[in-house]
Structure formats: structure tokens, C-alpha cells
Amino acid sequence: METGRLLLGLCAFLCFYRSVASESTCKLKAKFNLSGYKDVEKKKVVVGGMFPVHKRISSSDGNTSRLPVSSGCEGFNFRTFRWTQTMLFAINEINGRTELLPNTDLGYVIYDSCFTISKAVEGTLTYLTGQDEAVPNYRCGSGAPLAALVGAGGSDLSIATARILGLYHFPQVSYSSTCSALENKFQFPTFLRTIPNDKHQSTAIAQLVLRFGWTWVGTIAADDDYGKYAIKDFKEQVGEAGVCISFSEVLPKVSSPEDIQRIVQTIVEDTAKIIVVFSSDVDLSPLMQELLQHNVTNRTWIASEAWVTSALINRPGVNSVLGGTLGFGVKRADIPGLESHLLDMDPYANPLTEEFWETLFNCTLNYGKAVRQARQRAVEGNATMPRAVRGVPDGLCSGRESIAQLGNTYSDVSQLRITYSVYKAVYAVANALHNLEHCEDGQGPFVGGSCADISKFEPWQLMYYLKNVRFKVPHTGEEVYFEEGDIEGVYDIINWQVDGNGEISYVTVGNYNGSAAPEDRMTLRNDSIMWNNEGMETPRSVCSENCQPGTRKGIRQGEPVCCFDCIPCADGEISNATNARACILCPYDEWSNEAHDACLPKIIEFLAFGEPLGITLIAISAFGALATIAVGVVLFVNLGTPLVKANDALLSFSLLFSLVVTFLSSIVFLGEPQHWSCMTSQAGLALGFALCLSSIMGKTALLMLRARVLKAARLRAKAAARAAKEAAELAREAAESANQIIPDVIVTSSLNNTDTNTCSDPETDRITCGHQRAIAAVATLIQGVACTVWLLILPPHPVENTAAQNIKIILECNEGSVIFICCIFGYDMVLALLAFVFAFIARKLEDHFGEAKSVTFGMLVFFIVWISFVPAYLSTRGKFMVAVQIFAILASSFALLTCIFLPKCYVLLVKPEQNREDMMMPRAKPRDGAYTGTSASLATAGTQVNNSIASTAIDD
């Protein structure tokens, strides 16, 4: 719109200039150098056309010291010249039809835009003026009315012309301008097109990229609105789907070898194997030539409709570079009669046609020019003028050359796509004119139901009919209509395949319909596609390979999101999808498998009765209980014997009963933990050990006291023996002085007569059997009260331990309170320590069976077992913790049973002759090897010595 305002201002200025000028004529500031076709004589309506017949304008020297002239054009384009001829063919065909505009002959004015905006603007202004000298804002002459402009080629050219034509509400129908910016009716109110909007093509290419899983893509766009808008739409759509752009290059509009080399270097060095190109064939051609020279292969090109079937790109030898290209082409059609029209051409009819002929056959139609060229070649070659020059010089066209024999892209009607779009554009204008001409007065669309006059209508009136036209294209039957100036987005998906001759052929492998449901828009026959690689396999283009299930994507800092590391999921986490952004934490009762792609139920672990370890422990426990019961039976059978009576049978049986309890309580630790088993196992074990250790403590308390008494007695006996010895020495000396003979005195220990019956000598034992039993009962009762409080307040209960081992749920008993269980088993350890101390003190008690030593050794084993149990228990997990605990219980129980009762059972069963009263007496303990005997003999000797001393004193 800014351009439009500037043009309006310019026109206003020119009008003002004309009103004040002294002269009545306009003064032209420039004269345009335009080429094309024109036929307006005796025509009722004139249709305009604009085609980029040439590739560029001729370069100028930039000299401003002389009058500037409009630049000419160079680089003849045979493909676009075919488009021009198609418009001429369509107009001639329409003029010959009786059902379409029967009373109206169409004329035409066609200009060459030279693929340049400046030339497109020149042609537009000239067309609007109606004469070769363009006068902005004026229509000069009184010829046939102008209908519409078919053109102007590329999107950049159409944008420039549409801004001008929109100022005058002049219709424009484009055949190749696909830029999505042109759909803006605020800026381009009179623009229509018979080629799909690029927003459909961008979506189609994005879907194609996503369909094959390409996430690392390079893009190349022409430096114009067509390339910029299309690539922008493409990037937005693939970006939302997670596709990354590896590189994005812009093709220069003006040939620049440095830029082309830089782009080639980027393509070679980059890892992207898929390259999307939105460009015209003219802009892309220099790049393809350079890629061919560098032999850049193993790339798959995605072509836009502007070059997908271009012969300018599809040159001999490009199969190694462009083989396997996929692209989107607009609808193709066969147009009967067009090929004949293209081949049947008068080379002298028009300057543009002459240039075409001379370029096509590499000759000249100008005789004088041919002679000059021949002479110049002769001079350069230092040769004489050939005789042929004097007749028909070399390089002179005859005008009868055969176009068909060359097989040029101009005459190739196998891929009529843009050509078909030109054909539809002309017929759209014709059908709109037909509807305008056949309007009935009173039923027209304008004020008061009026109609427009075909011979003098205004452009905006035709615009109404063009917007609402609906017709079927001859020969194809395709129905054409406009929605907001656009038609349906329908494409053929074309694959460049190398045939047996090494040439590229265009094979349709699918279709795209932008008006269909999203899931039905694209149909593609994958097995029909030929790729540009050795294995003919679908190429992969990724910055990083897909992260498989079991891993997650780790973004690399400073790199696109498509470049990532695949990080394995941690234990207990999974990812069950490709390219997962995060791992999923498994539920508490499940754990990840080895591949980390699924959560599996955790192994339920507990020490079962039926497994080998459980069976072994049960067998050992049962054996221990049976062995304990057997010992009890042996003691019960020998209940009246001295050995059994000497050890307080009741305490012995209570000790055996507690050992049976501990053996059997270990079995309760097996199996799936239940509320009752958790409480029974811990409480039973604590009470069993309390009864066992308190019974041992009662026994050892008596043994300790007896040892102390015997020690004191030995000390007294030793003192008495010493006194007796001294008395005997005195007596001996006195007798010698009196000439008496004193017999030798034999000193023996009075301790030999000590009774070892622990409950029969009140002088020796201060603790009676009742005291022993009371100690055991009270100690056990204290433990029982503590266990009862524990079970009532914070009882043990079964829990599922999921933290100890990741892949397992360990069913175990929770103690309820660590403080309680520490206090309860700490109490047992106190009882064990007291029993050990008492037994240790009594270890030197000299009897025939050494019971104190047996208890001391048994308690040492007990402590060793439980001290070893602590680190072993803490270093194991699961069912083996239970096994270690059971082993400690069994080992300590077997130690006590064996150390305390094995010697007794040996005597009772193997050496019954030792089970008598005298064997229960303490053994004699010699002192210094000089004095032996009994306490009675020691007493007698002492009396005799005293009497002798007394009588000697009396005699004196």
C-alpha cells in the first residue's frame, strides 16, 4: 500500500505539472524498452500478459553522464517462452469457439518481464496507459477496453504489479505466483491465481519431511518473497514438530560466484542429507552447476513447484546430484493442439520470435549480420573469406529449421504444469468476460440490477465476475473457482528417477490435496520411490539418532534440540517411546527391566518354608529341639542320681525348655510374615533367651559362691597347715632337748571332706535352690512384662521393604520400635554377661565335671556367635538376613546345649560308674608337695604338738 500511495502521489504531481505547463503535451521522462506480442486491432477486449521470457536484464555500465536508456534483456528462457505461446494459443482457441464469447474477439498485449521487478513495473504502466509511452494514472487512446493482466511470473514480480493494479481495481490473474503474502486482500485486493497458494506446498513438504522421519534438514531459498515466505512457513511447521534446520542459505538474485561457492561448501560440510529448496529454476541453476562440478552426491533434494520439472535444472549429467529428488508439481494436463501451435511458428513474425529462433538454432535470420560474423571469423582465423559467404554465409538461418527435431524444452509437452496454469488463467478471464457479456439487464450485480457493457466496462466490474467465476476447463474437465482469490491446493508428488539411458524422468509417486482431511491429504507410494543412494533405501537425515525406548533425550547446550545425547534411564525408571524427553518412574511395587522399556512386578522375597534353605533351617531347628528334648529325657530318667541332683534338676529342665523354645522360635521366622508371626517370633525369642540365660545365671551364681567359699577355706587350711608345721618344728626341737622321739606328722587338707551337694551344706552355700529358682523366675518375668508392653504399644508388624533392594519387595517384620527391641534384647545380653562373669569367677572350682568351665566356654561361644551376627546381619539383605538371624539363634542354642549338657550326658550314658556320691566331692588340691591329708589329721597333729609344748613348760 505504501508503494500505491507513492504512485498516486507521483500521478497527482504529473497532473499538476500538466496543468501549469505552458505546453499542452506531456514530457516523457523515460522510454521503456519492452518486447512482446501485441494484437489489438479490431478487437473488442484486450487481455494483458506478462512472462519472464528472459532471465535477467542486461548489465549497464552505470554511466550517468549521458541519457539513461531502459535496459534490454538477456538469457532466453525456452520454458517461459512456451508459457507465452500457450497464452496466444488459448486466446486463438477462445476466439474460435462458439460457446464462449461468440460475439467477442479477444486481443492481447504481452510483455517480457525479464524476470525483473523493474521490467514488470514498466510493462504494467505501459499496459495501463494503452500506448508504448507510459503515462501513470492515464489511459491514452480510445481502443478496446483492457480486461485483466495474466502474469507477471514470479511472486516478486506479481507483488510489484499487484500493488499498482490494485490502485485501479484492475484484475490480475497469476499462473505461477505462489507466495502466501499475496493472499492478503487488504494489500492485493484484485489479485487472483490459478496455481495453489504456497501455504499448501509448505504444509505438504513439512508432512513429507515428517513422514520419513527427517529431523535434520537444510534449506535453500531464493532471495525474493517467494523463497522467504515459503521457507518461513515451512520452518514454522516443522519446528513445531521437532525438526531442526541444519543450515539455511539464500540464493543471490544477481549471480555471485563467491556466494555460490560458500553455499556449496556449506552443503558439503554439513551432515544434513535432506535439502529443501524454494527457488525458481533461474536462481537455482548456478548452484546446481557448481554442485555438479564438485560432484556433491548422497543428498536428497526436495523441490518446490517452480523447478521440479524445469529443463533448466534437469540437464545432462545431473543424475548423480539430483537423482532421487522429490518435489511437488501443480496439476498436469494434456492440451490438444498446443504442440502443433508450438511447432508451427513463423520465425519472422515478431522480434521476440526471431530471437527465439536464433537462440534455438544458434544462427541468425539477418543476412547482413551473418556476413559480418563470417568475415570476423575469417579474420580471427587468418583465412580468406570462404566462397559460401559470397552466397549463403555460415550461421544464417533458413527459417525452415525443424523445432521438433531438436527436442528442446520449448516443444516438450509431457509435463504441462505451469503451462496448464497459464491456460486456465486465460480461460478464467474469458469465462468472466462471457458472464459479463451475457448479463441480463435488471438482473445484474451492480446498482439497480444493471449490467456492464462488454465494449466499455470498468476493470472493477470485471473483477466482480472474476471473483465469482466457476467453469470447467476444456479437454480436462477440471472445475475452477476462486476462494479469496486462491484455488485448491492440489499437487502431484514427483520423483526424479534415472532410466536405463541414464536420463532423468519425472515419475508421479503420490498426491497431495490440501482441501482433504489432515489424515487423508497425502498419499504416497513408498515402494515406487527411487533414492539417491547406493542401497536405494530411504535416506536418514538426523543430527542424532533416535533415542530408543529405555533412554531419554539429553539436550546438548548451545545446539539445536535435534542434537541430543541418549541417556539411559536410571534404575527404576523406564521410557517406552522413541525420543522420550523424560523417563517414567515405575510404581513402588514394580521395577524396570534390563532394557528399561517396561516396568515389571518386583520379586516378592521372603524365606519360604519350601525352598532348600528354609527346609535346611527347619531340619536343623527340629534336630536341635529333638536333641534338647532327648537330653531332658535322659536327665528325667536319671533324676534320682547324684549327678542330676547335684545340678538342681528344676533349673536344668527350665534351661532345656528355654532351649526348645529358642529352637522352635527360629522356625516362626520362616514363611511370609504375618502379624502373629512377627509378634511371636520376636517375643518368643526374647523370652526364650531370657529364661535360658536367667537359669544359667542362677546356676553360675551358686558356683561362684561355692568357689569363693572354697577359696576362703583353702586359705584357712593353708594358714592352719603353716601353724601346724611351725608347732611341729617347736615340738621337735623341744623333744630333742629332752631326748624324746617325735613321730612324723602327715598334714592333709580338710577340704577333702567338703560335700559338693549344692543344696545340702548351709555352711558352704549362702544361696539355696529356692534362691536360684527365684533369680530365674524374676529375670524371666521382667522380660515377659517388657515384651507384653512392647506388643501392646508398638507391636512388630509385616511390611513391604522396597528400599533395600531395587528389584525386590522384601516381606519382613518391622520391629515397631527400635528402642523397645534394643531394650529387650539388650536385657538378654545383660543376663548373658552376668552369667558369663559368674561362670568365669567359678571356673577354678575343682570338681570332677568342671561345670563352671563348661558354662564359661558355652557363654564364650554364645558371645562370639552374636558378636559375629551383627556385621553379618547388617551386610545382608532380604531373606538372607532372616537366615543369618536363624543361624545365630541355632548356633548359640547348640553352643549352650552342647557345652552345658554334653559332659553330663556322657557320664549318664557312657560312664555311669562315675555317677556316685564320692565323685561329686571336690578333688584334692596338693600344695607345695609336702603336706597331704585330711583336715581331721591336721587338727589331731596340732593338738599333740600343743600338749607336748605345755608339758615341757611344766617340767621346767
Side-chain angles (χ1 to χ4, degrees):
M1 294 305 291
E2 292 296 329
T3 305
R5 293 191 182 94
L6 290 173
L7 289 171
L8 283 175
L10 176 61
C11 294
F13 171 76
L14 291 174
C15 291
F16 173 76
Y17 176 79
R18 291 187 63 181
S19 65
V20 300
S22 58
E23 297 180 3
S24 59
T25 59
C26 300
K27 183 179 181 181
L28 291 176
K29 291 297 182 182
K31 187 174 182 178
F32 301 148
N33 182 13
L34 296 172
S35 60
Y37 292 93
K38 185 175 183 180
D39 183 10
V40 297
E41 295 297 330
K42 299 180 181 180
K43 301 299 181 183
K44 201 169 187 179
V45 179
V46 175
V47 179
M50 195 171 296
F51 296 90
V53 177
H54 289 86
K55 299 176 183 178
R56 55 192 171 271
I57 60 175
S58 303
S59 59
S60 61
D61 56 8
N63 191 344
T64 58
S65 62
R66 62 174 179 265
L67 179 68
V69 295
S70 178
S71 300
C73 301
E74 61 184 13
F76 200 90
N77 192 330
F78 295 108
R79 183 188 183 205
T80 54
F81 186 68
R82 184 180 69 225
W83 301 348
T84 307
Q85 292 299 317
T86 301
M87 181 174 177
L88 297 177
F89 169 78
I91 291 176
N92 292 334
E93 187 179 65
I94 292 169
N95 288 337
R97 301 178 72 94
T98 58
E99 74 280 5
L100 183 63
L101 294 175
N103 302 318
T104 301
D105 277 346
L106 296 180
Y108 51 83
V109 175
I110 301 175
Y111 292 115
D112 178 13
S113 67
C114 298
F115 205 65
T116 308
I117 293 177
S118 61
K119 283 294 180 181
V121 172
E122 290 178 7
T124 303
L125 294 176
T126 304
Y127 176 66
L128 290 174
T129 301
Q131 60 185 25
D132 292 340
E133 295 81 7
V135 181
N137 212 33
Y138 279 89
R139 169 68 177 169
C140 302
S142 58
L146 304 178
L149 176 68
V150 176
S155 295
D156 265 8
L157 310 184
S158 289
I159 287 174
T161 57
R163 292 188 186 278
I164 299 173
L165 296 174
L167 296 175
Y168 306 103
H169 306 284
F170 198 96
Q172 177 181 359
V173 183
S174 176
Y175 50 85
S176 65
S177 301
T178 60
C179 180
S180 58
L182 287 164
E183 69 181 357
N184 188 334
K185 294 308 170 187
F186 179 75
Q187 296 189 52
F188 313 103
T190 61
F191 179 82
L192 304 98
R193 50 189 162 190
T194 55
I195 191 169
N197 190 330
D198 260 347
K199 67 180 182 181
H200 297 298
Q201 184 171 206
S202 298
T203 302
I205 294 180
Q207 287 192 15
L208 183 71
V209 168
L210 298 177
R211 185 187 187 98
F212 289 109
W214 298 325
T215 60
W216 192 235
V217 179
T219 63
I220 298 176
D223 190 14
D224 53 25
D225 290 325
Y226 167 68
K228 292 176 182 177
Y229 277 92
I231 284 295
K232 175 177 175 292
D233 292 342
F234 170 76
K235 289 180 178 179
E236 289 177 353
Q237 295 191 53
V238 297
E240 294 174 356
V243 176
C244 297
I245 304 302
S246 173
F247 64 88
S248 187
E249 294 291 343
V250 177
L251 291 171
K253 294 296 288 184
V254 179
S255 181
S256 172
E258 295 79 10
D259 290 340
I260 296 298
Q261 287 285 353
R262 176 182 52 78
I263 296 173
V264 170
Q265 192 67 23
T266 300
I267 295 172
V268 171
E269 295 177 354
D270 200 85
T271 57
K273 303 300 181 184
I274 306 299
I275 304 175
V276 177
V277 181
F278 277 96
S279 170
S280 67
D281 53 355
V282 175
D283 292 334
L284 183 60
S285 180
L287 176 63
M288 287 304 166
Q289 292 178 9
E290 194 68 25
L291 289 172
L292 189 59
Q293 291 180 6
H294 286 77
N295 194 27
V296 180
T297 60
N298 198 25
R299 301 293 190 277
T300 298
W301 299 82
I302 309 300
S304 65
E305 96 297 335
W307 66 275
V308 69
T309 57
S310 171
L312 187 62
I313 303 299
N314 185 9
R315 293 181 175 181
V318 299
N319 54 353
S320 61
V321 176
L322 294 177
T325 294
L326 278 177
F328 290 81
V330 296
K331 277 187 177 181
R332 173 191 170 279
D334 292 325
I335 305 176
L338 177 61
E339 184 176 13
S340 299
H341 172 82
L342 296 176
L343 298 177
D344 185 15
M345 182 173 292
D346 180 7
Y348 302 100
N350 182 276
L352 196 59
T353 308
E354 289 182 12
E355 182 181 359
F356 158 74
W357 199 274
E358 292 176 347
T359 306
L360 180 62
F361 295 105
N362 192 24
C363 62
T364 178
L365 292 168
N366 188 312
Y367 180 84
K369 183 178 179 181
V371 172
R372 288 192 300 272
Q373 291 176 348
R375 288 175 178 172
Q376 183 177 359
R377 287 194 298 269
V379 172
E380 291 175 355
N382 295 322
T384 60
M385 178 83 74
R387 284 182 294 174
V389 174
R390 300 172 193 149
V392 180
D394 293 338
L396 179 64
C397 298
S398 66
R400 295 185 299 272
E401 290 83 1
S402 175
I403 299 175
Q405 290 181 356
L406 289 182
N408 185 271
T409 184
Y410 165 76
S411 58
D412 182 8
V413 293
S414 62
Q415 294 289 330
L416 300 182
R417 298 182 184 276
I418 304 297
T419 303
Y420 179 51
S421 182
V422 173
Y423 189 72
K424 289 188 290 185
V426 176
Y427 265 90
V429 175
N431 278 273
L433 288 170
H434 180 83
N435 294 337
L436 182 148
E437 183 180 20
H438 290 80
C439 174
E440 297 181 5
D441 288 334
Q443 298 180 4
F446 307 117
V447 179
S450 61
C451 296
D453 186 354
I454 189 67
S455 60
K456 52 180 180 180
F457 62 88
E458 295 295 331
W460 59 268
Q461 292 176 316
L462 179 61
M463 185 64 201
Y464 168 81
Y465 287 100
L466 264 174
K467 288 174 60 178
N468 297 282
V469 73
R470 194 180 193 102
F471 67 98
K472 288 187 177 181
V473 182
H475 313 301
T476 67
E478 178 189 355
E479 187 174 26
V480 177
Y481 58 92
F482 297 104
E483 290 184 358
E484 297 298 322
D486 288 331
I487 62 171
E488 290 182 332
V490 178
Y491 298 90
D492 291 333
I493 302 177
I494 301 170
N495 182 215
W496 288 29
Q497 299 185 3
V498 181
D499 58 20
N501 298 324
E503 297 180 354
I504 288 179
S505 58
Y506 307 119
V507 179
T508 300
V509 295
N511 305 96
Y512 180 85
N513 186 351
S515 302
E519 63 275 9
D520 299 327
R521 288 178 180 175
M522 180 177 291
T523 58
L524 191 62
R525 298 182 294 277
N526 292 0
D527 55 347
S528 300
I529 301 175
M530 294 183 64
W531 301 102
N532 189 18
N533 52 45
E534 295 179 357
M536 302 303 290
E537 298 177 351
T538 302
R540 289 184 56 77
S541 184
V542 295
C543 180
S544 300
E545 291 295 333
N546 290 333
C547 289
Q548 299 302 316
T551 61
R552 66 174 179 84
K553 292 167 64 173
I555 303 300
R556 298 174 185 170
Q557 291 293 333
E559 296 188 29
V561 294
C562 297
C563 301
F564 50 81
D565 297 316
C566 295
I567 303 174
C569 291
D571 290 339
E573 296 180 348
I574 66 163
S575 63
N576 52 13
T578 303
N579 290 332
R581 295 185 177 274
C583 296
I584 305 170
L585 185 65
C586 289
Y588 83 97
D589 58 345
E590 294 182 351
W591 194 250
S592 57
N593 60 358
E594 186 175 355
H596 292 276
D597 58 2
C599 290
L600 302 179
K602 288 185 177 180
I603 300 172
I604 306 297
E605 181 177 277
F606 58 88
L607 190 54
F609 294 102
E611 61 180 289
L613 181 58
I615 294 173
T616 302
L617 294 175
I618 291 174
I620 297 174
S621 300
F623 173 77
L626 292 175
T628 305
I629 293 172
V631 171
V633 170
V634 171
L635 294 183
F636 183 78
V637 171
N638 297 277
L639 189 61
T641 62
L643 179 60
V644 178
K645 292 194 298 182
N647 288 279
D648 189 0
L650 185 59
L651 279 182
S652 296
F653 284 119
S654 68
L655 176 57
L656 290 172
F657 173 74
S658 65
L659 290 175
V660 172
V661 171
T662 56
F663 277 122
L664 296 180
S665 67
S666 64
I667 299 178
V668 185
F669 283 89
L670 298 173
E672 183 176 351
Q674 306 291 336
H675 283 280
W676 67 269
S677 62
C678 289
M679 292 189 292
T680 303
S681 59
Q682 299 290 355
L685 179 63
L687 290 173
F689 273 132
L691 179 59
C692 173
L693 296 172
S694 60
S695 299
I696 295 174
M697 187 178 65
K699 282 178 169 289
T700 55
L702 177 62
L703 293 175
M704 179 194 67
L705 186 59
R706 179 187 294 175
R708 293 174 63 111
V709 169
L710 290 179
K711 182 178 179 181
R714 286 196 182 101
L715 291 175
R716 288 195 301 271
K718 187 175 182 179
R722 190 179 297 111
K725 182 178 179 181
E726 292 175 355
E729 292 293 334
L730 291 174
R732 187 184 299 277
E733 292 175 359
E736 289 177 356
S737 62
N739 297 319
Q740 295 181 359
I741 298 174
I742 304 299
D744 290 336
V745 178
I746 299 173
V747 180
T748 60
S749 174
S750 62
L751 293 177
N752 290 334
N753 297 323
T754 303
D755 187 3
T756 60
N757 191 335
T758 59
C759 299
S760 60
D761 191 353
E763 294 181 359
T764 303
D765 299 331
R766 298 179 184 178
I767 298 179
T768 64
C769 293
H771 290 144
Q772 289 178 283
R773 297 164 187 170
I775 289 173
V778 171
T780 305
L781 181 62
I782 293 173
Q783 185 70 296
V785 171
C787 288
T788 302
V789 174
W790 177 32
L791 296 179
L792 291 176
I793 298 178
L794 294 170
H797 56 277
V799 295
E800 295 180 350
N801 186 349
T802 59
Q805 295 189 25
N806 294 331
I807 62 174
K808 296 179 181 179
I809 296 179
I810 301 173
L811 301 183
E812 60 185 14
C813 292
N814 185 293
E815 294 80 6
S817 171
V818 177
I819 296 176
F820 265 113
I821 197 168
C822 289
C823 292
I824 287 170
F825 286 99
Y827 177 75
D828 284 342
M829 291 300 104
V830 171
L831 294 179
L833 185 62
L834 290 176
F836 172 73
V837 171
F838 292 164
F840 183 79
I841 293 174
R843 74 188 185 284
K844 294 185 178 181
L845 180 63
E846 298 297 332
D847 57 14
H848 287 278
F849 302 104
E851 184 176 16
K853 291 182 180 179
S854 299
V855 173
T856 301
F857 184 72
M859 294 310 300
L860 278 176
V861 175
F862 181 88
F863 279 118
I864 291 172
V865 169
W866 285 102
I867 290 173
S868 302
F869 160 77
V870 173
Y873 183 81
L874 295 177
S875 63
T876 55
R877 292 289 182 271
K879 62 183 180 182
F880 297 104
M881 293 180 68
V882 178
V884 168
Q885 190 172 4
I886 294 175
F887 174 78
I889 296 170
L890 296 177
S892 58
S893 300
F894 273 115
L896 295 176
L897 177 65
T898 303
C899 293
I900 295 175
F901 291 100
L902 184 61
K904 296 180 177 61
C905 291
Y906 177 77
V907 172
L908 293 175
L909 298 177
V910 181
K911 300 287 185 179
E913 65 275 9
Q914 295 182 7
N915 188 9
R916 59 181 188 271
E917 288 290 342
D918 59 328
M919 294 299 293
M920 303 301 109
M921 303 297 179
R923 294 178 302 195
K925 187 174 182 180
R927 293 294 179 180
D928 301 330
Y931 302 99
T932 62
T934 65
S935 56
S937 61
L938 289 174
T940 301
T943 302
Q944 291 176 354
V945 171
N946 291 336
N947 290 339
S948 298
I949 295 173
S951 58
T952 302
I954 293 172
D955 292 339
D956 292 341

